[in-house]
Amino acid sequence: EAANDLRLRPWHNSQREGKRKGDRTTFHWKLRTNKDLVERILRYGADAQVLGPKAFVKEIRKVVKRSHKHYKK
């Protein structure tokens, strides 16, 4: 599970665990967005969702859409 992995191996000293709701946990960071961060998030596949900031959500969405095109028929 992604949340347990983040608890065991935090990404950054700004990492804070937020709300838990069912099987979902929210984490917060103060980070600059870059390719490495995008790749780290995408490693979790469908087990991760970026909630903000809006510009970063759009960036993740764009990468996922490009990837999805590889598997469409």
Side-chain angles (χ1 to χ4, degrees):
E1 175 181 294
N4 285 334
D5 185 52
L6 290 169
R7 285 184 198 105
L8 292 172
R9 289 181 287 282
W11 288 2
H12 190 263
N13 61 2
S14 69
Q15 179 173 313
R16 301 291 178 262
E17 187 169 338
K19 295 178 184 177
R20 289 187 191 188
K21 187 173 184 179
D23 64 343
R24 304 187 82 137
T25 304
T26 303
F27 287 87
H28 304 268
W29 295 269
K30 292 182 180 180
L31 300 169
R32 294 190 194 283
T33 60
N34 58 42
K35 186 177 179 182
D36 180 56
L37 181 60
V38 171
E39 289 172 356
R40 290 180 94 173
I41 291 168
L42 293 178
R43 284 183 202 146
Y44 291 109
D47 292 332
Q49 179 182 5
V50 174
L51 302 175
K54 288 181 183 183
F56 192 51
V57 172
K58 285 176 73 173
E59 185 176 340
I60 293 289
R61 188 178 292 131
K62 193 164 91 174
V63 172
V64 170
K65 283 182 179 181
R66 278 197 326 258
S67 295
H68 184 254
K69 287 180 183 180
H70 294 296
Y71 301 98
K72 285 174 56 173
K73 283 194 170 191

XYZ file of all heavy atoms in Angstrom:
620
model
N 0.845 -1.184 0.000
C 0.000 0.000 0.000
C 0.888 1.243 0.000
O 1.885 1.325 0.699
C -0.913 -0.037 1.213
C -1.740 1.192 1.366
C -2.621 1.121 2.602
O -3.507 0.261 2.611
O -2.394 1.928 3.500
N 0.482 2.231 -0.771
C 1.260 3.462 -0.935
C 1.434 4.200 0.390
O 2.523 4.688 0.698
C 0.587 4.360 -1.969
N 0.385 4.307 1.184
C 0.467 5.060 2.441
C 1.499 4.451 3.385
O 2.291 5.175 3.988
C -0.901 5.125 3.110
N 1.511 3.135 3.492
C 2.493 2.490 4.367
C 3.908 2.727 3.857
O 4.830 2.953 4.640
C 2.219 0.990 4.488
C 1.026 0.707 5.376
O 0.696 1.490 6.258
N 0.372 -0.399 5.124
N 4.083 2.677 2.557
C 5.394 2.935 1.974
C 5.855 4.354 2.302
O 7.019 4.569 2.665
C 5.346 2.720 0.458
C 6.703 2.842 -0.190
O 7.648 2.170 0.273
O 6.822 3.617 -1.159
N 4.953 5.319 2.194
C 5.306 6.710 2.497
C 5.601 6.914 3.982
O 6.423 7.745 4.340
C 4.191 7.650 2.038
C 4.046 7.769 0.525
C 2.767 8.502 0.180
C 5.247 8.469 -0.069
N 4.933 6.165 4.828
C 5.225 6.260 6.264
C 6.610 5.694 6.569
O 7.345 6.254 7.379
C 4.176 5.492 7.070
C 2.859 6.183 7.167
C 1.878 5.412 8.061
N 0.544 5.870 7.793
C -0.369 5.195 7.085
N -0.091 3.997 6.599
N -1.559 5.709 6.877
N 6.943 4.587 5.923
C 8.238 3.943 6.175
C 9.402 4.675 5.521
O 10.505 4.693 6.056
C 8.210 2.494 5.665
C 7.299 1.534 6.412
C 7.220 0.199 5.680
C 7.805 1.330 7.833
N 9.152 5.254 4.344
C 10.202 5.939 3.593
C 9.717 7.319 3.147
O 9.365 7.505 1.980
C 10.609 5.096 2.378
C 11.372 3.835 2.748
C 11.776 3.041 1.515
N 10.677 2.348 0.870
C 10.135 1.212 1.301
N 10.550 0.658 2.403
N 9.163 0.636 0.635
N 9.703 8.281 4.061
C 9.244 9.629 3.689
C 10.075 10.189 2.542
O 11.268 9.925 2.432
C 9.455 10.445 4.965
C 9.562 9.450 6.061
C 10.118 8.204 5.443
N 9.448 10.980 1.700
C 10.104 11.580 0.536
C 10.885 12.831 0.887
O 11.822 13.195 0.215
C 9.070 11.941 -0.516
C 8.462 10.786 -1.221
C 8.705 9.455 -1.007
C 7.497 10.845 -2.253
N 7.949 8.704 -1.847
C 7.193 9.536 -2.633
C 6.853 11.891 -2.887
C 6.282 9.234 -3.623
C 5.955 11.592 -3.874
C 5.662 10.274 -4.244
N 10.431 13.544 1.920
C 11.003 14.861 2.195
C 10.698 15.218 3.645
O 9.714 14.745 4.208
C 10.353 15.871 1.229
C 10.986 17.208 1.222
N 10.486 18.258 1.957
C 12.068 17.687 0.558
C 11.230 19.323 1.738
N 12.196 19.008 0.892
N 11.534 16.073 4.236
C 11.290 16.428 5.645
C 10.034 17.284 5.837
O 9.575 17.455 6.956
C 12.513 17.108 6.265
C 12.883 18.395 5.577
O 12.216 18.823 4.639
N 13.950 19.022 6.033
N 9.461 17.802 4.765
C 8.208 18.568 4.873
C 6.980 17.656 4.859
O 5.855 18.140 5.030
C 8.098 19.576 3.720
O 7.907 18.908 2.481
N 7.170 16.362 4.659
C 6.041 15.430 4.546
C 5.221 15.404 5.828
O 5.757 15.253 6.917
C 6.553 14.024 4.240
C 5.446 12.981 4.130
C 5.973 11.651 3.657
O 6.719 11.589 2.712
N 5.585 10.593 4.335
N 3.915 15.549 5.670
C 2.973 15.462 6.779
C 1.822 14.563 6.370
O 1.314 14.657 5.267
C 2.401 16.845 7.136
C 3.440 17.870 7.535
C 4.087 17.541 8.877
N 5.109 18.498 9.225
C 6.424 18.317 9.034
N 6.885 17.213 8.496
N 7.283 19.246 9.382
N 1.431 13.710 7.295
C 0.280 12.854 7.036
C -0.977 13.603 7.443
O -1.046 14.193 8.520
C 0.400 11.548 7.818
C -0.671 10.557 7.460
C -0.417 9.182 8.022
O 0.740 8.860 8.340
O -1.398 8.422 8.131
N -1.951 13.569 6.562
C -3.209 14.268 6.821
C -4.314 13.302 7.197
O -4.105 12.343 7.935
N -5.477 13.537 6.618
C -6.669 12.762 6.943
C -6.580 11.326 6.452
O -6.024 11.042 5.399
C -7.898 13.404 6.299
C -8.228 14.767 6.816
C -9.445 15.315 6.073
C -9.738 16.727 6.507
N -10.864 17.295 5.760
N -7.188 10.447 7.235
C -7.413 9.069 6.811
C -8.915 8.896 6.680
O -9.676 9.261 7.565
C -6.900 8.071 7.849
C -5.423 7.987 7.940
C -5.040 6.858 8.855
N -3.625 6.912 9.178
C -2.993 5.962 9.826
N -3.638 4.881 10.239
N -1.718 6.083 10.083
N -9.328 8.334 5.543
C -10.759 8.091 5.314
C -10.864 6.748 4.626
O -10.476 6.613 3.461
C -11.353 9.202 4.462
C -12.855 9.122 4.320
C -13.417 10.338 3.616
C -14.920 10.255 3.584
N -15.503 11.420 2.924
N -11.343 5.756 5.343
C -11.417 4.408 4.787
C -10.020 3.915 4.471
O -9.142 3.929 5.323
N -9.827 3.513 3.217
C -8.509 3.020 2.808
C -7.660 4.114 2.177
O -6.649 3.840 1.554
C -8.652 1.823 1.857
C -9.328 2.187 0.548
O -9.971 3.255 0.475
O -9.222 1.408 -0.407
N -8.057 5.380 2.339
C -7.338 6.511 1.735
C -6.661 7.348 2.814
O -7.231 7.584 3.870
C -8.294 7.381 0.944
C -9.042 6.591 -0.132
C -9.818 7.506 -0.970
N -8.861 8.031 -1.936
C -9.108 8.185 -3.214
N -10.288 7.907 -3.681
N -8.197 8.640 -4.027
N -5.462 7.793 2.513
C -4.717 8.676 3.408
C -4.174 9.830 2.588
O -3.666 9.633 1.491
C -3.539 7.925 4.068
O -4.033 6.773 4.744
C -2.819 8.817 5.056
N -4.280 11.026 3.118
C -3.767 12.212 2.440
C -2.413 12.576 3.024
O -2.239 12.585 4.249
C -4.737 13.394 2.631
O -6.022 13.019 2.152
C -4.259 14.622 1.876
N -1.451 12.853 2.138
C -0.137 13.326 2.553
C 0.086 14.709 1.965
O -0.409 15.017 0.883
C 0.964 12.374 2.063
C 1.011 11.084 2.817
C 0.236 10.011 2.446
C 1.837 10.950 3.932
C 0.262 8.824 3.149
C 1.866 9.769 4.644
C 1.087 8.700 4.251
N 0.843 15.519 2.686
C 1.139 16.887 2.257
C 2.652 17.087 2.227
O 3.360 16.594 3.108
C 0.533 17.901 3.240
C -0.930 17.727 3.441
N -1.866 18.402 2.688
C -1.629 16.943 4.298
C -3.070 18.047 3.084
N -2.952 17.164 4.054
N 3.113 17.817 1.212
C 4.526 18.172 1.087
C 4.644 19.620 0.638
O 3.728 20.157 0.020
C 5.232 17.327 0.016
C 5.328 15.885 0.299
C 6.350 15.248 0.936
C 4.412 14.861 -0.070
N 6.109 13.896 0.994
C 4.916 13.631 0.385
C 3.189 14.862 -0.732
C 4.268 12.423 0.184
C 2.534 13.665 -0.921
C 3.073 12.467 -0.459
N 5.788 20.198 0.884
C 6.136 21.501 0.315
C 7.325 21.237 -0.599
O 8.473 21.186 -0.144
C 6.491 22.505 1.410
C 5.298 22.878 2.253
C 5.661 23.910 3.288
C 4.414 24.233 4.106
N 4.697 25.236 5.125
N 7.029 21.000 -1.871
C 8.046 20.609 -2.840
C 7.893 21.404 -4.126
O 6.796 21.845 -4.473
C 7.908 19.120 -3.191
C 8.053 18.122 -2.064
C 7.628 16.740 -2.543
C 9.487 18.090 -1.572
N 8.974 21.508 -4.847
C 8.916 22.050 -6.209
C 8.578 20.882 -7.131
O 9.100 19.785 -6.967
C 10.255 22.631 -6.626
C 10.651 23.842 -5.834
C 11.868 24.483 -6.477
N 12.515 25.447 -5.634
C 12.079 26.678 -5.406
N 10.950 27.079 -5.956
N 12.745 27.502 -4.634
N 7.708 21.134 -8.075
C 7.364 20.074 -9.013
C 8.487 19.925 -10.030
O 9.082 20.905 -10.476
C 6.033 20.361 -9.726
O 6.142 21.576 -10.435
C 4.895 20.451 -8.729
N 8.792 18.678 -10.336
C 9.807 18.375 -11.336
C 9.557 16.958 -11.853
O 8.673 16.245 -11.366
C 11.227 18.531 -10.771
C 11.473 17.648 -9.571
O 11.066 16.490 -9.539
N 12.134 18.185 -8.566
N 10.343 16.547 -12.822
C 10.159 15.239 -13.453
C 10.302 14.104 -12.445
O 9.549 13.132 -12.475
C 11.164 15.078 -14.591
C 10.965 13.821 -15.394
C 11.934 13.740 -16.549
C 11.708 12.442 -17.292
N 12.627 12.260 -18.386
N 11.261 14.218 -11.531
C 11.463 13.176 -10.527
C 10.222 13.004 -9.655
O 9.803 11.882 -9.375
C 12.679 13.512 -9.656
C 12.924 12.462 -8.594
O 13.078 11.278 -8.951
O 12.942 12.821 -7.392
N 9.618 14.100 -9.245
C 8.413 14.019 -8.420
C 7.271 13.360 -9.190
O 6.572 12.500 -8.656
C 8.003 15.410 -7.936
C 6.765 15.473 -7.051
C 6.951 14.640 -5.782
C 6.448 16.919 -6.702
N 7.100 13.738 -10.441
C 6.062 13.129 -11.280
C 6.283 11.619 -11.359
O 5.355 10.830 -11.159
C 6.050 13.758 -12.693
C 5.135 12.978 -13.630
C 5.635 15.212 -12.634
N 7.512 11.202 -11.614
C 7.817 9.774 -11.735
C 7.583 9.036 -10.423
O 7.057 7.915 -10.423
C 9.259 9.588 -12.196
C 9.455 10.004 -13.644
C 10.916 10.016 -14.077
O 11.811 9.779 -13.234
O 11.156 10.277 -15.273
N 7.950 9.653 -9.314
C 7.731 9.010 -8.006
C 6.252 8.791 -7.746
O 5.847 7.737 -7.244
C 8.339 9.846 -6.890
C 9.849 9.839 -6.907
C 10.405 10.673 -5.804
N 10.658 9.787 -4.672
C 11.277 10.185 -3.574
N 11.666 11.428 -3.432
N 11.483 9.328 -2.591
N 5.445 9.773 -8.080
C 3.992 9.647 -7.876
C 3.414 8.580 -8.793
O 2.629 7.730 -8.369
C 3.304 11.006 -8.106
C 3.699 11.969 -6.983
C 1.784 10.846 -8.198
C 3.334 13.409 -7.245
N 3.822 8.588 -10.056
C 3.261 7.646 -11.021
C 3.659 6.202 -10.732
O 2.972 5.276 -11.162
C 3.667 8.035 -12.438
C 3.061 9.355 -12.926
C 3.576 9.674 -14.322
C 1.541 9.312 -12.904
N 4.727 5.981 -9.979
C 5.110 4.606 -9.588
C 4.005 3.911 -8.805
O 3.918 2.694 -8.799
C 6.373 4.625 -8.726
C 7.613 4.853 -9.501
C 8.828 4.786 -8.591
N 9.911 5.492 -9.225
C 10.833 6.186 -8.605
N 10.827 6.258 -7.288
N 11.777 6.791 -9.255
N 3.180 4.703 -8.131
C 2.093 4.125 -7.343
C 0.862 3.821 -8.188
O -0.111 3.256 -7.679
C 1.723 5.054 -6.183
C 2.804 5.115 -5.139
C 3.582 6.247 -4.982
C 3.063 4.030 -4.313
C 4.583 6.306 -4.026
C 4.058 4.071 -3.364
C 4.818 5.217 -3.219
O 5.808 5.260 -2.283
N 0.884 4.194 -9.446
C -0.224 3.894 -10.349
C -1.547 4.394 -9.812
O -1.659 5.524 -9.344
N -2.547 3.531 -9.872
C -3.901 3.898 -9.440
C -4.022 4.051 -7.927
O -5.062 4.484 -7.435
C -4.897 2.860 -9.937
N -2.967 3.724 -7.185
C -3.006 3.854 -5.727
C -2.673 5.261 -5.251
O -2.636 5.513 -4.046
C -2.043 2.861 -5.073
C -2.500 1.430 -5.244
O -3.724 1.207 -5.354
O -1.645 0.535 -5.263
N -2.404 6.185 -6.177
C -2.083 7.567 -5.800
C -2.927 8.534 -6.610
O -3.249 8.277 -7.761
C -0.607 7.845 -6.041
N -3.235 9.646 -5.984
C -3.978 10.717 -6.653
C -3.429 12.053 -6.169
O -3.307 12.277 -4.969
C -5.468 10.631 -6.323
C -6.293 11.720 -6.975
C -7.756 11.647 -6.589
O -8.159 10.844 -5.754
N -8.549 12.489 -7.188
N -3.097 12.920 -7.101
C -2.633 14.263 -6.763
C -3.861 15.149 -6.619
O -4.705 15.215 -7.506
C -1.685 14.808 -7.855
C -1.316 16.251 -7.578
C -0.440 13.935 -7.958
N -3.955 15.855 -5.498
C -5.112 16.701 -5.219
C -4.818 18.185 -5.434
O -5.732 18.989 -5.546
C -5.578 16.482 -3.776
C -5.953 15.038 -3.424
C -6.285 14.929 -1.951
C -7.099 14.552 -4.284
N -3.576 18.577 -5.489
C -3.244 19.981 -5.686
C -1.748 20.175 -5.634
O -1.019 19.241 -5.285
N -1.301 21.305 -6.023
C -2.040 22.431 -6.597
C -2.579 22.103 -7.991
O -2.126 21.144 -8.636
C -1.013 23.562 -6.653
C 0.316 22.911 -6.584
C 0.126 21.588 -5.903
N -3.523 22.896 -8.445
C -4.230 22.614 -9.701
C -3.282 22.447 -10.885
O -3.489 21.578 -11.724
C -5.252 23.706 -10.007
C -6.457 23.668 -9.112
C -7.453 24.752 -9.479
C -8.624 24.729 -8.516
N -9.638 25.720 -8.874
N -2.253 23.270 -10.952
C -1.311 23.180 -12.078
C -0.598 21.831 -12.079
O -0.354 21.252 -13.142
C -0.297 24.316 -12.019
N -0.294 21.312 -10.900
C 0.382 20.017 -10.826
C -0.585 18.884 -11.156
O -0.205 17.904 -11.795
C 1.028 19.824 -9.458
C 1.971 18.658 -9.404
C 2.971 18.500 -10.351
C 1.880 17.719 -8.403
C 3.846 17.431 -10.309
C 2.748 16.658 -8.339
C 3.740 16.505 -9.303
N -1.829 19.015 -10.758
C -2.855 18.026 -11.125
C -2.946 17.953 -12.647
O -2.972 16.864 -13.229
C -4.231 18.379 -10.505
C -5.321 17.465 -11.049
C -4.175 18.307 -8.990
N -2.952 19.116 -13.302
C -3.022 19.154 -14.770
C -1.798 18.487 -15.392
O -1.909 17.775 -16.384
C -3.149 20.593 -15.255
C -4.528 21.194 -15.048
C -4.590 22.651 -15.449
C -4.546 22.773 -16.956
N -4.767 24.180 -17.403
N -0.636 18.718 -14.803
C 0.590 18.106 -15.319
C 0.538 16.585 -15.214
O 0.856 15.869 -16.161
C 1.794 18.647 -14.546
C 3.114 18.179 -15.077
C 4.286 18.805 -14.343
O 4.129 19.850 -13.689
O 5.380 18.228 -14.438
N 0.108 16.082 -14.071
C -0.019 14.630 -13.880
C -1.046 14.074 -14.859
O -0.824 13.043 -15.504
C -0.420 14.294 -12.422
C 0.703 14.658 -11.448
C -0.817 12.830 -12.286
C 1.928 13.773 -11.519
N -2.175 14.747 -14.996
C -3.232 14.302 -15.904
C -2.697 14.193 -17.336
O -2.989 13.228 -18.045
C -4.416 15.274 -15.842
C -5.635 14.798 -16.613
C -6.794 15.765 -16.476
N -7.292 15.761 -15.109
C -7.516 16.861 -14.399
N -7.297 18.053 -14.907
N -7.973 16.776 -13.165
N -1.908 15.171 -17.751
C -1.349 15.187 -19.101
C -0.423 13.978 -19.318
O -0.507 13.315 -20.356
C -0.576 16.494 -19.297
C -0.205 16.792 -20.720
C 0.203 18.248 -20.879
C 1.687 18.392 -20.675
N 2.172 19.759 -20.955
N 0.407 13.674 -18.343
C 1.320 12.529 -18.459
C 0.531 11.225 -18.524
O 0.825 10.349 -19.336
C 2.318 12.497 -17.278
C 3.132 11.213 -17.280
C 3.232 13.710 -17.323
N -0.487 11.105 -17.692
C -1.304 9.885 -17.672
C -2.033 9.713 -18.999
O -2.091 8.602 -19.546
C -2.292 9.898 -16.474
C -3.302 8.772 -16.592
C -1.531 9.811 -15.165
N -2.558 10.787 -19.547
C -3.241 10.707 -20.847
C -2.277 10.260 -21.945
O -2.638 9.446 -22.798
C -3.881 12.043 -21.211
C -5.164 12.315 -20.478
C -5.778 13.632 -20.912
C -7.078 13.881 -20.177
N -7.705 15.130 -20.598
N -1.056 10.803 -21.932
C -0.066 10.386 -22.943
C 0.249 8.904 -22.795
O 0.350 8.174 -23.777
C 1.223 11.205 -22.806
C 1.160 12.538 -23.467
C 2.520 13.186 -23.705
N 3.535 12.930 -22.713
C 3.912 13.779 -21.757
N 3.346 14.966 -21.658
N 4.866 13.458 -20.913
N 0.395 8.446 -21.560
C 0.668 7.025 -21.323
C -0.496 6.157 -21.770
O -0.301 5.091 -22.351
C 0.948 6.775 -19.841
O 2.115 7.419 -19.439
N -1.695 6.616 -21.481
C -2.895 5.857 -21.831
C -2.987 5.622 -23.325
O -3.446 4.555 -23.770
C -4.138 6.605 -21.311
C -5.396 5.878 -21.538
N -6.304 6.246 -22.511
C -5.914 4.781 -20.945
C -7.324 5.418 -22.499
N -7.122 4.527 -21.553
N -2.537 6.578 -24.129
C -2.586 6.441 -25.591
C -1.798 5.228 -26.070
O -2.131 4.642 -27.096
C -2.057 7.698 -26.262
C -3.004 8.867 -26.171
C -2.428 10.071 -26.862
C -3.360 11.253 -26.699
N -2.825 12.452 -27.356
N -0.779 4.825 -25.339
C 0.022 3.666 -25.728
C -0.777 2.359 -25.631
O -0.390 1.362 -26.248
C 1.270 3.546 -24.840
C 2.243 4.657 -25.022
N 2.912 4.885 -26.194
C 2.655 5.613 -24.162
C 3.708 5.931 -26.057
N 3.567 6.389 -24.825
N -1.825 2.360 -24.828
C -2.548 1.125 -24.573
C -3.969 1.103 -25.149
O -4.684 0.129 -24.977
C -2.577 0.858 -23.057
C -1.176 0.758 -22.520
C -0.562 1.841 -21.901
C -0.438 -0.414 -22.689
C 0.738 1.760 -21.443
C 0.861 -0.500 -22.234
C 1.441 0.583 -21.615
O 2.743 0.511 -21.170
N -4.379 2.185 -25.805
C -5.702 2.222 -26.422
C -5.663 1.469 -27.748
O -4.653 1.420 -28.417
C -6.133 3.668 -26.667
C -6.565 4.396 -25.432
C -6.837 5.842 -25.653
C -7.838 6.142 -26.719
N -8.197 7.557 -26.788
N -6.781 0.930 -28.131
C -6.894 0.279 -29.443
C -7.728 1.128 -30.348
O -8.553 1.854 -30.003
C -7.503 -1.111 -29.304
C -6.517 -2.113 -28.786
C -7.083 -3.498 -28.998
C -5.995 -4.500 -28.698
N -6.333 -5.821 -29.102
